[in-house]
Amino acid sequence: MGGVSSKMATTLMTCCLSDRDKSERLTSRDIDRRLLKDRMTFRRTVRILLLGAGESGKSTFLKQMRIIHGVDFANEDLQEFKTVIYNNIVKGMRVLIDARDKLGIPWGDEANIKDANFVFSFDGNNKLDDHTFLQYVEPMKCLWKDSGIRAAFDRRREFQLGDSLQFFCENMDRIGQQSYIPTKEDILHARKATKGITEKTIYIRGVPFMFIDVGGQRSQRQKWFQCFEGITSILFLASSSEFDQVLMEDRKTNRMLESCFIFETIINNKSFVNVSIILFLNKMDLLTEKVKKVNIRDYFEEFQGDPHNLEDVKIFMLKMFDSRRRDKSKPLFHHFTTAIDTDNIERVFKDVRDTILHDNLKSLMLQ
Ligand SMILES: Nc1nc2c(ncn2[C@@H]2O[C@H](COP(=O)(O)OP(=O)(O)O)[C@@H](O)[C@H]2O)c(=O)[nH]1
Ligand SMILES: [Mg+2]
């Protein structure tokens, strides 16, 4: 009996071992299959690099990609955006209070000085939670109505103020509610400077699109080189409304010239001969308003045409960027965009996507 049972045990063991072998073989086949799938996904992935100076709209474009392709913001994202928006408003108002003073603009109503002192005393290092922010709401509403603050706001090109303060102040009744939750439009206006590199993959009709967002300010640009490998396309954003503004980094270089200079280094870089580069002349909404009042010839004396005609100004800007290209054998793809406008970006992106997929398919077939 014992002999039989030991034989059985041996058979069982062999059986077990070979089962394990089989399962190990299966696992390794699974791994191979997985690797192949990953390699295919990697090859299929469309990598889009967003480049441009600080505040040109790169991160806003990426937010639009999430909104348009249904990648919702999680609850903690909403909480973070809320804090960013609170900060944008209080810090923006502080800048205006300071500017009114330095520019020597008289108060519309001196009764607002008390509110101004209160808002100005906000310590930027403190966290703005709901409770703290609500204390500033009424004072800021009064300040935004003051003609002295508004006169300083009208001279904002002379100092550094974010583009979204007006939108937030005009929506202060809603944002100042206890139960406030940021809307998509609020999120698109929220400004937080990007540090380092952020990647986000979004599946669009089954194709993985990886968007790579980088910081645009001078100190951040040495990091751009890390992202140059394996790029399918570069979207270069330039803020068209900044022709009368100077850089935050040195407070003297014209922002438009800086943007052109960066474009020149990217477009003529040998690493990108096979990369489609698409220029977005962004912030068309702000440019449309600006050309009504500001004469571009005061900043670019070579401008010819009607300075208050939007089309003339758009053509001039496009030529300014186009003239920086050394290789003119290919046309320059470009779009005039408003990154905070979802419909506009949806339309523009469809076009961009088709161009990129067409080019990508061609290069995949050549591999
Ligand atoms: N009005 C307006 N504001 C814009 C537009 N694009 C971006 N912004 C705002 O400009 C600021 C800077 O945008 P952001 O995407 O952070 O720039 P980035 O530094 O290039 O990532 C944010 O407050 C945006 O809401 C636009 O087309 N129109
Ligand atoms: Mg950014």
Side-chain angles (χ1 to χ4, degrees), residues 58-59 191-194 213-214:
K58 301 178 290 297
S59 303
R191 160 69 178 161
K192 186 173 177 212
T194 310
D213 184 20
V214 297

Side-chain angles (χ1 to χ4, degrees), residues 53-60 164 188-189 191 282-283 285-286 338-340:
E55 294 184 80
S56 54
K58 301 178 290 297
S59 303
T60 310
S164 296
L188 290 167
H189 281 89
R191 160 69 178 161
N282 191 34
K283 302 200 180 179
D285 57 332
L286 299 176
T338 298
I340 49 163

Side-chain angles (χ1 to χ4, degrees), residues 207-238:
V207 181
F209 277 70
M210 183 195 276
F211 294 93
I212 305 153
D213 184 20
V214 297
Q217 266 142 17
R218 282 183 178 175
S219 59
Q220 297 288 316
R221 278 182 225 146
Q222 68 264 27
K223 298 180 193 155
W224 287 11
F225 300 98
Q226 299 166 25
C227 328
F228 285 179
E229 190 106 349
I231 289 300
T232 322
S233 181
I234 292 175
L235 301 189
F236 190 96
L237 284 93

Side-chain angles (χ1 to χ4, degrees), residues 82 86 118 127-137 176-178:
K82 185 153 89 166
Y86 286 168
F118 176 60
K127 194 171 152 33
L128 269 172
D129 53 23
D130 293 342
H131 174 73
T132 319
F133 179 74
L134 287 179
Q135 296 177 327
Y136 292 104
V137 170
Q177 300 277 320
Q178 193 114 37

